[in-house]
Amino acid sequence: MSNSGGMMALSQPSQLAAKQYGVTKPISRAGPTAADLQRTLELEKFLVHSGLYESEEEAAKREEVLLRLGQIVKDWVKQLTGLRGYTDQMVEEANAVIFTFGSYRLGVHGPGADIDTLCIGPSYVNREADFFFVLHDILANMDEVSELQPVPDAHVPVMKFKFDGISIDLLYASISCLVVPENLDISDVSVLYNVDEPTVRSLNGCRVADQILKLVPNVEHFRTTLRCLKFWAKRRGVYSNVTGFLGGVNWAILVARVCQLYPNAVPSMLVSRFFRVYTQWRWPNPVMLCPIEENELGFSVWDPRKKPCDRTHRMPIITPAYPCMNSSYNVSTSTLRVMMEQFHYGNKICEEIDLTKACWSRMFEPYLFFESYKNYLQVDIVAADADDLRTWKGWVESRLRQLTLMIERDTLGKLQCHPYPHDYVDASKQCAHCAFFMGLQRKQGETVQEGQQFDIRDTVDEFRHSVNMYMFWRPGMKIHVSHVRRRQIPSYVLPNGYNKRPRPSKPTSQVEEPVKSFHVTEVYGSEHVDGTRKRKNEDMAGEKYDVIAKRLSSSAESHDPISSNILDKSVDILRSSTRNRMCLFEVNRFEVLASNGFSADAMSDAQKVRPVESIELSYRGKNDLDKGIASSEQEPECASNSSVITSATSDGGSSDDAGIESVADCAEDNMVGVEGTVREGDEMGSLQDAAREGDPVARLENTVTSAKGLMQQVRS
């Protein structure tokens, strides 16, 4: 954390100038000014006050845990060596070693951070059976180990657990030798001989970390800058490789490249240059710390000239160790859009800091995700107990990126997703569950044609099937995907339980032209219009009834008791007619919620979280029900507790009712259709037309007129 590394770099400018770091010449070799040094001190002080550095006691405990883990894997390999029939001498020499990588190896980990570890064992100890079963059982029977979670089918197979309270991510690689030397040089390419692709990926974590530290001009400046930007990325909601943003190694390579481009800069300068560089970066041009090298081992390296699949990568960030790979293949069009928006935000704040118009704390203000969109998908994950939920959640979270890619694919990129890389738990609920959220909006600037639809039934159905392929599935593991509007976001995901906070108005320069909305209606073949009108009238019945009742009440107060009694009778009769139909709707709704496995607590929140199964509650038969997302200028009105979706506008500037159809896992049926459209000019009929259709609100209006006439007769 000290500036000693920085001062050493500044005292030897000629040496730095003599060596070129990276694949191009630096942009600038300028050193810091007095103001830059002052801003660096302020930045480091802010990072310390933010609690980003662990205590000496915790650091010592981590080292102790690593030593203990190293002894466990040595004993495990010796045990397997004996069971395989090797000689006593082989059992004595059998060995496994533990390497670290990630933030711990780079020296930028903070309190409570996990330790990325790699166990390297001999050729006869495999990953599938020996690591994920034998070692798994050994760890499961240890008192120090908790929250053990194997993820064997991940891109890089891993076993997650806590050892004496320290989070560990443990990988395994079997190299082609009978005895693993204690002083193994993992950076030597010989460790890659005769190993498979998953093993190469497991080994590359350590090899990449070592190379990064060798390729930056000043390690201490690199560490401070990386620590700062990782903290910023987490605060702004763009730190998560699994959901399609960037993980630790991605941020490390991006920061290392900026260090190469400004070799004499101090951390405050590097943070500012980071945003300046990457707001102007022309993706998908790759970020590389060194040239991509080929090797006679023949492993595939990233090369868009030869491999068509590499041409689809949106944000290539290439690892510096052979075989060079794109570490950010998870990034999608939607998540790249979100990150670029955040880069521009960071660049703007850094410019203000340079002009002394803002302080460092301003840059780390949390991103207000739940105020940024009108429509969200809520992914609820349920399991029988906490242990099952841990494994189930890890699997579902790893598949959320696929849902984003599927929606982009099936809507041709016109419906954008923003998966938020945080899970939320409602402490008031009894069941083991958590929830993820995804913001939804139409692509900005996209021309909308009348009748345009976004049908994602098959998309979500495909996602559901992929999730249900989980090889460790257990009874009780369920997933529900619901649509929630911004005003219906559950209170437990927001600070202090507030559902809504005042939104700052957009500057005049940022006000956009009005955009058309996505509308959803029920479709019943030739009864499309009539069905829509009926549903709207029924949804609005409660609201209109209250208005009319107030009018009647105030009118009655100004007349004699006889007039008041007449009006009261009229209101009571029509209240019964109107409320009976709406109560029937609500009763059926809760019956369906209960039949689909929701607890009483879940049913109490039915107005906010609407599982797709509740679509069965339409006033007509489920088999005839079809819904759609379409474009129109008019937004249909809808009661907030209806399972019928209203409208979804892409700009997040207002809190008007908005929605996109619920999509979720459904155990028995396929996804509900998305086909209907609301055309321009399709409006509810007049009150007289509704009365002819038997609308209760219309009858109430007619009764008001008749009652007033009767009162006039009584007075006369």
Side-chain angles (χ1 to χ4, degrees):
M1 197 200 79
S2 67
N3 254 348
S4 58
M7 299 308 294
M8 182 183 298
L10 294 177
S11 64
Q12 299 173 343
S14 59
Q15 293 182 14
L16 289 179
K19 182 176 180 180
Q20 175 179 310
Y21 291 86
V23 294
T24 63
K25 292 181 179 180
I27 294 176
S28 172
R29 296 187 183 274
T33 64
D36 292 324
L37 293 174
Q38 178 61 33
R39 280 192 287 267
T40 296
L41 291 175
E42 294 171 356
L43 174 60
E44 291 179 342
K45 185 183 297 185
F46 175 83
L47 297 179
V48 171
H49 290 332
S50 298
L52 299 186
Y53 294 86
E54 68 178 355
S55 64
E56 293 182 359
E57 293 78 9
E58 185 175 357
K61 185 177 181 180
R62 288 179 184 273
E63 293 179 2
E64 180 183 346
V65 166
L66 288 173
L67 289 174
R68 181 79 175 96
L69 184 60
Q71 188 58 50
I72 291 171
V73 298
K74 291 180 191 297
D75 295 341
W76 163 62
V77 169
K78 289 181 183 295
Q79 174 188 341
L80 290 173
T81 305
L83 292 174
R84 301 271 158 84
Y86 288 98
T87 64
D88 292 343
Q89 182 180 354
M90 279 288 294
V91 173
E92 181 67 24
E93 295 177 351
N95 191 32
V97 293
I98 291 289
F99 288 89
T100 62
F101 61 100
S103 62
Y104 188 82
R105 175 68 183 92
L106 294 173
V108 294
H109 61 287
D114 59 2
I115 305 178
D116 295 311
T117 56
L118 168 68
C119 173
I120 298 182
S123 57
Y124 54 86
V125 177
N126 63 60
R127 180 188 301 106
E128 291 73 18
D130 298 329
F131 180 73
F132 279 113
F133 285 92
V134 179
L135 181 59
H136 174 275
D137 292 343
I138 292 174
L139 294 172
N141 292 322
M142 298 183 65
D143 294 337
E144 303 98 318
V145 176
S146 62
E147 301 181 14
L148 184 59
Q149 177 188 351
V151 191
D153 50 357
H155 187 64
V156 181
V158 61
M159 195 146 54
K160 299 172 177 283
F161 56 92
K162 284 188 176 180
F163 194 101
D164 199 14
I166 302 294
S167 297
I168 302 289
D169 284 359
L170 180 61
L171 280 57
Y172 179 72
S174 174
I175 62 174
S176 59
C177 64
L178 292 177
V179 179
V180 178
E182 193 68 31
N183 59 348
L184 176 68
D185 182 8
I186 198 171
S187 62
D188 194 317
V189 74
S190 63
V191 299
L192 302 178
Y193 289 150
N194 298 320
V195 298
D196 58 13
E197 289 282 353
T199 300
V200 172
R201 291 194 291 269
S202 299
L203 289 167
N204 252 18
C206 298
R207 291 164 50 78
V208 166
D210 287 348
Q211 282 297 106
I212 290 175
L213 294 176
K214 293 176 182 177
L215 292 171
V216 294
N218 186 293
V219 173
E220 288 303 316
H221 289 174
F222 163 76
R223 285 173 171 164
T224 301
T225 306
L226 178 56
R227 193 183 294 271
C228 168
L229 286 165
K230 286 180 63 177
F231 181 51
W232 174 84
K234 292 174 182 177
R235 298 284 286 177
R236 302 303 296 176
V238 289
Y239 188 93
S240 174
N241 183 63
V242 70
T243 52
F245 295 105
L246 301 182
V249 66
N250 310 126
W251 290 104
I253 295 173
L254 291 182
V255 171
R257 184 64 183 128
V258 174
C259 291
Q260 292 178 340
L261 294 173
Y262 299 91
N264 295 331
V266 293
S268 64
M269 298 170 64
L270 292 170
V271 171
S272 176
R273 274 45 169 196
F274 177 93
F275 292 115
R276 186 182 303 175
V277 167
Y278 292 116
T279 53
Q280 302 177 51
W281 197 272
R282 297 182 179 179
W283 304 106
N285 288 330
V287 173
M288 299 186 298
L289 300 182
C290 59
I292 296 177
E293 61 176 283
E294 299 282 353
N295 191 283
E296 67 275 3
L297 293 177
F299 286 110
S300 176
V301 298
W302 187 81
D303 189 350
R305 299 169 300 176
K306 298 179 181 179
K307 296 193 292 184
C309 62
D310 289 347
R311 300 172 198 161
T312 65
H313 294 169
R314 304 295 182 185
M315 192 180 189
I317 301 174
I318 311 304
T319 57
Y322 175 83
C324 298
M325 307 174 184
N326 176 22
S327 62
S328 55
Y329 62 90
N330 279 354
V331 174
S332 67
T333 301
S334 291
T335 53
L336 175 58
R337 170 188 62 84
V338 173
M339 285 187 284
M340 290 303 297
E341 290 175 355
Q342 294 306 315
F343 288 163
H344 282 283
Y345 168 84
N347 189 51
K348 176 184 176 184
I349 301 302
C350 282
E351 289 176 351
E352 294 179 0
I353 293 174
D354 289 343
L355 297 173
T356 66
K357 293 182 178 180
C359 57
W360 286 110
S361 60
R362 171 80 185 283
M363 194 177 78
F364 298 93
E365 291 178 354
Y367 176 60
L368 302 179
F369 174 72
F370 293 106
E371 297 181 13
S372 300
Y373 297 91
K374 282 192 171 184
N375 302 278
Y376 299 85
L377 288 182
Q378 177 174 336
V379 181
D380 287 291
I381 304 166
V382 181
D385 54 44
D387 289 336
D388 283 355
L389 178 65
R390 189 177 305 108
T391 58
W392 182 231
K393 183 187 81 169
W395 168 251
V396 174
E397 184 179 16
S398 71
R399 307 306 298 173
L400 289 178
R401 180 182 67 92
Q402 295 299 325
L403 178 57
T404 302
L405 295 174
M406 292 171 184
I407 292 175
E408 288 180 355
R409 176 198 67 196
D410 294 344
T411 63
L412 303 179
K414 296 181 180 180
L415 186 61
Q416 295 177 329
C417 306
H418 180 175
Y420 201 54
H422 297 284
D423 61 285
Y424 297 89
V425 177
D426 186 354
S428 66
K429 295 191 180 299
Q430 301 299 320
C431 58
H433 92 291
C434 68
F436 291 95
F437 291 83
M438 296 176 65
L440 297 174
Q441 72 174 15
R442 178 177 59 80
K443 183 178 180 181
Q444 295 292 331
E446 186 72 23
T447 302
V448 181
Q449 299 178 355
E450 181 180 351
Q452 181 182 359
Q453 304 170 16
F454 293 100
D455 186 343
I456 55 175
R457 292 172 300 169
D458 294 338
T459 305
V460 177
D461 200 32
E462 182 182 349
F463 170 71
R464 176 176 64 86
H465 280 92
S466 69
V467 168
N468 287 335
M469 294 297 290
Y470 184 45
M471 65 183 300
F472 294 99
W473 184 90
R474 295 167 60 91
M477 292 181 175
K478 298 179 182 178
I479 177 172
H480 302 273
V481 183
S482 313
H483 162 259
V484 289
R485 301 170 190 156
R486 184 168 61 210
R487 68 174 189 172
Q488 295 170 319
I489 293 295
S491 59
Y492 63 83
V493 309
L494 299 174
N496 303 320
Y498 288 108
N499 259 5
K500 234 169 124 178
R501 283 169 287 181
R503 292 174 50 81
S505 57
K506 289 186 177 181
T508 306
S509 60
Q510 296 182 8
V511 174
E512 301 175 358
E513 296 181 0
V515 295
K516 295 185 178 181
S517 304
F518 303 117
H519 294 293
V520 181
T521 63
E522 294 181 336
V523 180
Y524 306 102
S526 60
E527 296 181 321
H528 177 192
V529 176
D530 291 341
T532 301
R533 290 177 177 174
K534 281 188 177 182
R535 189 190 73 255
K536 290 179 181 176
N537 288 337
E538 288 166 348
D539 286 341
M540 296 175 63
E543 182 180 347
K544 286 195 173 184
Y545 168 80
D546 292 336
V547 174
I548 297 170
K550 286 183 180 179
R551 191 192 314 167
L552 290 173
S553 176
S554 61
S555 176
E557 290 174 357
S558 63
H559 299 295
D560 57 335
I562 298 177
S563 303
S564 298
N565 290 336
I566 293 173
L567 286 175
D568 290 342
K569 290 292 183 181
S570 302
V571 170
D572 289 341
I573 292 171
L574 289 174
R575 176 191 289 119
S576 175
S577 173
T578 302
R579 294 307 185 194
N580 282 345
R581 296 178 69 186
M582 299 190 72
C583 288
L584 177 62
F585 175 85
E586 292 298 321
V587 169
N588 289 339
R589 179 171 184 211
F590 281 91
E591 286 176 355
V592 172
L593 282 171
S595 68
N596 282 281
F598 276 77
S599 65
D601 290 336
M603 290 189 287
S604 68
D605 287 336
Q607 306 298 337
K608 296 181 180 179
V609 180
R610 296 173 293 164
V612 75
E613 290 88 340
S614 66
I615 294 176
E616 298 181 19
L617 294 168
S618 79
Y619 302 122
R620 305 194 180 207
K622 175 185 67 174
N623 295 333
D624 296 330
L625 179 61
D626 206 4
K627 297 191 185 290
I629 299 177
S631 303
S632 172
E633 293 288 354
Q634 299 292 332
E635 293 188 3
E637 300 179 55
C638 179
S640 63
N641 64 345
S642 173
S643 63
V644 176
I645 307 305
T646 57
S647 64
T649 60
S650 61
D651 102 292
S654 101
S655 57
D656 297 335
D657 289 354
I660 292 181
E661 182 51 73
S662 305
V663 286
D665 172 275
C666 182
E668 295 88 6
D669 303 330
N670 291 330
M671 299 305 298
V672 177
V674 182
E675 303 218 356
T677 61
V678 175
R679 314 271 179 192
E680 295 187 37
D682 282 358
E683 300 175 352
M684 285 198 305
S686 64
L687 192 58
Q688 291 77 11
D689 292 335
R692 284 194 295 272
E693 296 177 3
D695 180 69
V697 177
R699 294 200 303 273
L700 183 57
E701 291 277 14
N702 292 338
T703 302
V704 172
T705 305
S706 301
K708 287 184 177 179
L710 183 58
M711 284 190 295
Q712 291 177 356
Q713 295 178 11
V714 171
R715 285 198 300 272
S716 62

